[in-house]
Amino acid sequence: MNHQSLSAFIWSVADLLRGDYKQSEYGKVILPFTVLRRLDCVLESTKETVLAEHTNKLKAGINPEPFLLRKAGQSFYNISPLDMKKLMGDQDHIRENLFAYIQGFSAAVRDIFERFDFYTQVERLAKAGLLYQVTERFAHVDLHPDQVSNSQMGLVFEELIRKFAEISNETAGEHFTPREVIRLMVNLLFIEDDDVLAKPGVVRAIYDPTAGTGGMLSVAGEYLHEHNPDARLTMFGQELNPESYAICKADMLIKGQDVANIAFGNTFSDDGTCTRNSTICCPIRRLAWSGKKLKRQYARNMKPKATMAVSAPACRVYRMVRYYSCCI
């Protein structure tokens, strides 16, 4: 199943929401449930091993977290005995069990669902008598990495966001940049360093100040891996939209990136990278320039300040400067 067919299948959940939700609100349910199912599938193969390790380490009085991460083989884990399929076994307590399942995730994942305001949607679905039906529909979607690659999953998220933007009368570009445009930008970004990137052990860092769902970071990682599988790319980003930030963070988690490098907030007024070893970068977007207040914030933030050098001499920071006001 290609990403468009998969996206359409997932979006069919909207049929259950019709009447109780406005069309513009469908994404508030569909996006976080898609992320939840993806994380659920990623952890499926190591679930029992992680639970056994958690029990053993608690009995020994040892902090279990580093051991759980190792057993999960990911940068996140879940210590709840439940998963989405097991949630289907108790219809009367679906709300309580779903909350317990979410709380079983590591802190970074819980933050993702808080950004989605997922708990509010669970309560609303429960009151409408839809929670079990929606959860059941997603429990039967196979989003395991063996079936849906990270690249395909990114396209699925973008297609869902596009649908969400269309019925919300929003511009999809506020949340993500089309992949064909991203590939062009990444090619231009790396083109002068093709020879250097081919060297063994090369280290690179990339920063996207308007990260959206993380498409730019993901494509840059794929580009570098294709040219040099031994190269290492550290990703930094910041995003203002809570839903886009949550999707970006989930994607980075699954790819093993340090999600502490993905900041939430306005890059102009609350630079989330100012304390890190990276070059200060100014994103320029047509939509971001509206209002005198933001212009004042930009002017204040752009006052001369020390620009930190990257500590590792072999590491170069690539800066994504987005010119959305230009016609492509």
Side-chain angles (χ1 to χ4, degrees):
M1 186 182 296
N2 61 37
H3 74 274
Q4 291 180 326
S5 300
L6 181 56
S7 301
F9 179 74
I10 293 173
W11 192 260
S12 67
V13 173
D15 295 335
L16 298 174
L17 304 177
R18 190 169 289 112
D20 293 282
Y21 276 78
K22 298 177 183 178
Q23 282 190 335
S24 60
E25 297 175 320
Y26 291 166
K28 295 180 180 180
V29 174
I30 293 173
L31 292 176
F33 264 104
T34 304
V35 170
L36 179 60
R37 181 55 179 156
R38 175 64 167 183
L39 299 178
D40 185 68
C41 290
V42 168
L43 295 178
E44 182 179 1
S45 61
T46 59
K47 182 75 172 180
E48 298 303 322
T49 305
V50 168
L51 292 177
E53 185 74 3
H54 182 248
T55 301
N56 293 336
K57 291 300 181 282
L58 286 182
K59 287 181 179 178
I62 300 174
N63 175 23
E65 183 168 8
F67 301 95
L68 300 181
L69 292 172
R70 189 178 303 119
K71 290 294 183 180
Q74 303 288 338
S75 54
F76 63 99
Y77 58 84
N78 188 295
I79 56 174
S80 170
L82 298 167
D83 57 30
M84 290 194 71
K85 291 183 178 179
K86 289 180 180 178
L87 288 172
M88 300 297 93
D90 190 355
Q91 182 173 353
D92 294 334
H93 299 93
I94 181 67
R95 171 183 165 277
E96 295 83 356
N97 289 339
L98 183 54
F99 279 142
Y101 178 49
I102 297 294
Q103 288 300 313
F105 279 105
S106 47
V109 176
R110 295 198 302 272
D111 177 63
I112 290 171
F113 290 103
E114 288 172 6
R115 299 294 180 181
F116 274 127
D117 198 18
F118 188 55
Y119 301 102
T120 300
Q121 301 309 320
V122 170
E123 292 283 5
R124 184 174 175 183
L125 288 169
K127 289 179 180 178
L130 296 172
L131 183 57
Y132 184 85
Q133 297 176 61
V134 171
T135 307
E136 182 180 34
R137 183 73 68 90
F138 277 96
H140 288 94
V141 180
D142 188 0
L143 297 181
H144 193 279
D146 291 342
Q147 301 297 323
V148 184
S149 68
N150 287 332
S151 177
Q152 287 177 306
M153 199 68 226
L155 294 173
V156 168
F157 281 129
E158 291 180 2
E159 181 67 16
L160 291 174
I161 289 174
R162 185 190 63 79
K163 292 177 179 289
F164 176 48
E166 282 180 354
I167 62 176
S168 301
N169 198 28
E170 293 181 353
T171 303
E174 294 183 33
H175 304 278
F176 70 93
T177 304
R179 285 294 169 112
E180 57 270 20
V181 177
I182 288 178
R183 292 189 185 96
L184 173 61
M185 294 174 71
V186 167
N187 285 333
L188 292 174
L189 186 72
F190 286 122
I191 195 168
E192 294 183 359
D193 284 348
D194 277 348
D195 293 337
V196 178
L197 295 176
K199 295 181 179 179
V202 66
V203 179
R204 287 292 183 266
I206 188 168
Y207 168 49
D208 187 350
T210 52
T213 58
M216 182 73 73
L217 300 176
S218 296
V219 172
E222 293 165 7
Y223 178 97
L224 192 56
H225 182 74
E226 288 174 4
H227 284 72
N228 185 355
D230 296 326
R232 181 166 64 87
L233 183 67
T234 303
M235 302 177 186
F236 296 84
Q238 183 159 346
E239 174 55 34
L240 177 61
N241 180 276
E243 289 84 4
S244 299
Y245 167 79
I247 292 173
C248 178
K249 189 171 181 178
D251 189 38
M252 295 299 108
L253 264 178
I254 293 170
K255 291 175 179 173
Q257 290 287 331
D258 183 1
V259 293
N261 295 338
I262 309 299
F264 176 75
N266 190 317
T267 310
F268 282 137
S269 59
D270 185 21
D271 185 3
T273 65
C274 60
T275 59
R276 296 189 175 92
N277 289 336
S278 61
T279 305
I280 302 301
C281 175
C282 314
I284 300 177
R285 293 197 299 173
R286 174 176 55 82
L287 295 171
W289 278 95
S290 59
K292 294 181 179 179
K293 180 180 179 181
L294 189 51
K295 291 181 182 180
R296 288 196 299 269
Q297 289 174 340
Y298 172 78
R300 182 172 62 250
N301 286 354
M302 288 302 102
K303 288 181 180 179
K305 53 181 164 181
T307 300
M308 294 168 286
V310 180
S311 56
C315 179
R316 175 176 176 181
V317 176
Y318 291 97
R319 295 160 294 165
M320 292 295 186
V321 184
R322 309 277 197 90
Y323 292 92
Y324 282 104
S325 57
C326 296
C327 296
I328 298 178

